[in-house]
Amino acid sequence: MTNLPKKILKLAEIIRTNGGRAMLVGGCVRDELMGLEPKDFDIEVYGIEPIKLKEILKQFGRVDAVGESFTVYKLGQDLDVSLPRRERKVSRGHKGFIVEGDPNMSFEEAAKRRDFTINAIMQDALTGEVIDCYGGQEDLKRTKIRHIADETFIEDSLRVLRAAQFAARFEFEIDEKTIELCKTIDLTDLPKERIWGELEKLLLKSQKPSIGLRYFYELNIASQLFPELTALVGVPQDEIWHPEGDVDVHTLLVTDEARKLIDDLPYPKKIAVMLGALCHDFGKPSTTEFFDGRIRSHGHDEAGIEPTISFLDKLGIYTFDGFDVREQIVQLVRYHLLPAMFYKQKPSNGAFRRLARKVELDLLYRVSKADTLGRNPDWLPIEKWSNSDAQEWFIEKAKDLNVENKPLEPILLGRHLIELGLKPSKQFGEILKTIYELQLDGKVTNLEEAIAEAKKIIN
C-alpha cells in the first residue's frame, strides 16, 4: 500500500522483529484497491500474544482500549489495532456475541467472520503482499457485493443495511444469493443508532443514494423498519407532473437530485436536506385520489408531518451541533411546495420574512429544487417554471431580503422599552410582537421608527 503513515510502518517493523505479522484489513485495503485514498486504517496482528502486543503498542504513546470481551487498541484517530478473532452469536441483538482473540488463527478463518468478500482482503503492511481468501479482488472488478458465509453472515443483522449502503456508495450490485439471504434476516433487533449510522452513510457518502434505497425495498429493509417508505409503493403520481412513475420512484430520484445540492453545507444541514427530500411525499399515500380527470394529492404536505415524525423517531434524529435538524426536516416537508406557489402568486416581502421564521429558506430551496428536478425532465412540455425557475427566483428573493439562512432580527428589543419607562409585563411582550410584525411588513425599518410606533401603542 502506498503512502502508509510512518507509525504504521514502524509498528509493523517492531511486530516483525518480535516474530509477528501486521496485516492491513477491511476498508483501507478495499479502498486502496479501488483507487481511493484510505482515511483510517485497521491492523490485525498475527503471531503476537495479547500481553506482548500491548507492551509494543505502549511505545507509540497513549493507547485507548475499546471493547469489553475483546480489545481493540486505538492509536490516534486513524489507526485501530487488534488480534484476529472469532465471534459466536449467543443472544439477540448486536451485543449478543462472544468474541475471542487468537493470534495463531489462520488468515482464512479470520477473514471468514467478515461480512463481504470485498472487505475480507488483507495486505501485509511491510511487503505489500495481498491475501485474498474469498475472491474479493474479483468481486471488486465485477462490482459485486457478495457475502462470505451463510452461517456467519446471518449472525449480524446490520449487515443487511451495510449491503445497501455499500451498493449506494460504490454503485455496485448485490449478488443474487446475498439478496436472497438478506431477505430472510430479522432486522427488528437493531437499535436506532446503528440503523441511522448506515442510512447516514448511504445518504451522504454516495452520489446516487437511490441505488441503496432501491435495495431497502428489495432486501425487505423498508418492510421491516420503515413502513413510511413501503407505503409509497404503488401510489400513482399525476402523469402531467410525474411521468417517471409512482411516488416511490419519484422519491428516489429526488434524493439523487438533493445529493447534488448539499456539498457546500455543514453536516447538520446536509442531513436536513437529505431527510427532507426522502420524507417530502410521505403524505401522498393518505391523500392521493382521482377526480376531475386527474390524480391529485391535495394536502399531502401537511399530511406528511405525522409519518415524517414517525420515521425520524426510528432514527433518533433530533439536534446535531446545536442545529435542530428534526424541526427543520418537519418544516421542509410541510412547506416544500411553497417556493413554486410563491413564484406563481408573487406574495409580499412579509410572506418571505414570516416563512423564514418557520424554516430555513436556503434549505427549503434545495429540497424544493430537488423535488422539481426529480419529477420534470427538461423535455416535458409544461410551464417553464416547473424546471426549477421557481426555486431560483425564490432563493434570489430570499437573499435580497437577507433571510435565506435566518429570520429577520427584531429591531426593537426589551431594553428599548425599559428605557421608555415600561416594566416587563403582558403588554410588554405584545408591544414587541406588534412592532416586529410591522418590521416584517417593511413598515418599520430602523430603531427610530420602531420606538415611535411603540410610543403610539403606549400612549
Side-chain angles (χ1 to χ4, degrees):
M1 185 174 292
T2 58
N3 300 319
L4 273 178
K6 291 182 180 179
K7 67 179 177 182
I8 292 180
L9 295 173
K10 182 179 179 181
L11 173 61
E13 286 281 6
I14 295 173
I15 288 171
R16 182 167 65 178
T17 300
N18 284 270
R21 194 173 183 184
M23 302 297 294
L24 295 158
V25 297
C28 63
V29 181
R30 178 201 66 219
D31 289 351
E32 173 79 9
L33 292 172
M34 292 178 66
L36 305 173
E37 183 177 354
K39 295 183 179 179
D40 46 50
F41 301 86
D42 291 277
I43 286 182
E44 281 185 348
V45 178
Y46 291 77
I48 301 286
E49 294 299 320
I51 295 176
K52 182 63 176 178
L53 176 59
K54 192 171 183 179
E55 291 176 358
I56 291 173
L57 295 177
K58 285 181 179 179
Q59 300 177 38
F60 291 82
R62 177 176 173 176
V63 178
D64 294 320
V66 180
E68 298 175 3
S69 59
F70 176 80
T71 304
V72 175
Y73 299 102
K74 302 187 77 69
L75 297 181
Q77 298 296 315
D78 61 348
L79 176 58
D80 289 357
V81 181
S82 64
L83 294 174
R85 60 190 184 267
R86 58 177 59 88
E87 301 172 350
R88 182 160 50 90
K89 186 78 168 178
V90 294
S91 62
R92 181 178 168 84
H94 70 287
K95 294 183 178 180
F97 289 89
I98 291 178
V99 185
E100 299 172 341
D102 181 358
N104 299 311
M105 189 181 299
S106 69
F107 292 143
E108 184 175 1
E109 185 182 0
K112 188 176 181 180
R113 70 173 176 81
R114 296 190 174 273
D115 49 10
F116 306 108
T117 61
I118 63 174
N119 294 331
I121 309 168
M122 305 179 184
Q123 186 174 31
D124 189 299
L126 290 179
T127 68
E129 179 188 0
V130 173
I131 306 295
D132 182 8
C133 302
Y134 295 101
Q137 293 178 95
E138 182 61 29
D139 284 336
L140 286 175
K141 294 176 183 177
R142 296 166 58 223
T143 63
K144 283 281 186 180
I145 295 171
R146 182 169 60 89
H147 73 286
I148 295 172
D150 292 8
E151 64 273 18
T152 54
F153 185 85
I154 62 175
E155 290 182 340
D156 187 356
S157 54
L158 188 70
R159 290 171 169 176
V160 181
L161 277 77
R162 283 170 61 81
Q165 68 98 343
F166 281 133
R169 282 171 58 187
F170 304 137
E171 299 184 16
F172 280 15
E173 291 183 355
I174 302 176
D175 183 76
E176 283 299 324
K177 291 183 179 179
T178 301
I179 290 174
E180 292 306 310
L181 184 61
C182 286
K183 289 162 68 174
T184 69
I185 297 175
D186 178 11
L187 307 179
T188 58
D189 65 330
L190 291 173
K192 61 181 66 176
E193 62 270 14
R194 299 198 89 199
I195 296 171
W196 167 238
E198 297 307 313
L199 180 57
E200 174 195 26
K201 293 173 188 174
L202 188 158
L203 294 175
L204 299 186
K205 290 191 173 184
S206 67
Q207 296 303 311
K208 293 183 178 180
S210 64
I211 295 174
L213 293 172
R214 286 190 184 96
Y215 279 118
F216 267 39
Y217 290 107
E218 190 168 356
L219 303 180
N220 290 341
I221 297 171
S223 62
Q224 292 192 64
L225 301 179
F226 303 117
E228 300 83 7
L229 290 175
T230 306
L232 303 178
V233 178
V235 178
Q237 300 270 29
D238 188 324
E239 292 183 358
I240 294 178
W241 300 101
H242 301 271
E244 76 292 327
D246 293 338
V247 177
D248 59 313
V249 177
H250 163 66
T251 296
L252 301 193
L253 293 174
V254 172
T255 59
D256 282 353
E257 295 296 339
R259 180 60 187 85
K260 300 173 185 177
L261 302 173
I262 63 170
D263 284 339
D264 62 324
L265 293 175
Y267 170 77
K269 295 184 180 183
K270 287 181 179 180
I271 295 173
V273 171
M274 292 309 299
L275 289 179
L278 183 58
C279 299
H280 81 284
D281 270 353
F282 277 2
K284 281 190 173 178
S286 63
T287 59
T288 298
E289 55 184 335
F290 185 85
F291 65 94
D292 288 344
R294 280 178 54 186
I295 296 169
R296 302 176 187 270
S297 302
H298 289 309
H300 77 271
D301 42 2
E302 193 67 32
I305 301 305
E306 184 176 341
T308 295
I309 291 173
S310 173
F311 185 81
L312 298 179
D313 284 343
K314 296 180 180 73
L315 302 172
I317 299 296
Y318 293 97
T319 300
F320 291 92
D321 299 333
F323 185 75
D324 194 343
V325 173
R326 182 188 184 91
E327 177 63 16
Q328 282 295 317
I329 294 168
V330 169
Q331 300 310 326
L332 288 170
V333 171
R334 174 176 275 131
Y335 296 116
H336 73 273
L337 298 176
L338 280 191
M341 292 176 62
F342 274 26
Y343 181 75
K344 294 184 73 175
Q345 297 170 359
K346 301 298 189 294
S348 67
N349 293 343
F352 276 85
R353 296 183 181 119
R354 287 181 173 85
L355 183 59
R357 299 185 66 195
K358 301 171 182 176
V359 63
E360 186 168 319
L361 300 191
D362 177 60
L363 303 185
L364 182 61
Y365 151 75
R366 295 172 196 246
V367 170
S368 180
K369 183 171 182 177
D371 181 24
T372 293
L373 295 176
R375 68 183 180 183
N376 292 322
D378 292 337
W379 51 263
L380 197 64
I382 56 178
E383 293 93 335
K384 182 181 178 182
W385 66 266
S386 65
N387 287 322
S388 83
D389 285 6
Q391 288 75 27
E392 298 306 321
W393 172 86
F394 177 86
I395 193 61
E396 288 305 315
K397 184 72 171 180
K399 289 177 178 178
D400 288 344
L401 298 173
N402 199 30
V403 292
E404 74 274 21
N405 296 124
K406 59 182 180 179
L408 198 65
E409 295 288 346
I411 295 173
L412 190 70
L413 305 176
R415 60 184 175 84
H416 297 129
L417 295 183
I418 293 174
E419 291 170 0
L420 293 177
L422 263 66
K423 294 181 180 180
S425 63
K426 183 178 179 180
Q427 183 193 25
F428 196 91
E430 290 175 351
I431 293 173
L432 291 176
K433 181 179 178 180
T434 300
I435 301 304
Y436 187 57
E437 290 295 325
L438 292 173
Q439 183 184 342
L440 293 176
D441 288 325
K443 296 177 181 178
V444 166
T445 59
N446 56 53
L447 182 58
E448 186 177 74
E449 292 175 354
I451 291 175
E453 292 294 335
K455 286 180 177 178
K456 290 180 184 178
I457 298 172
I458 295 169
N459 292 333

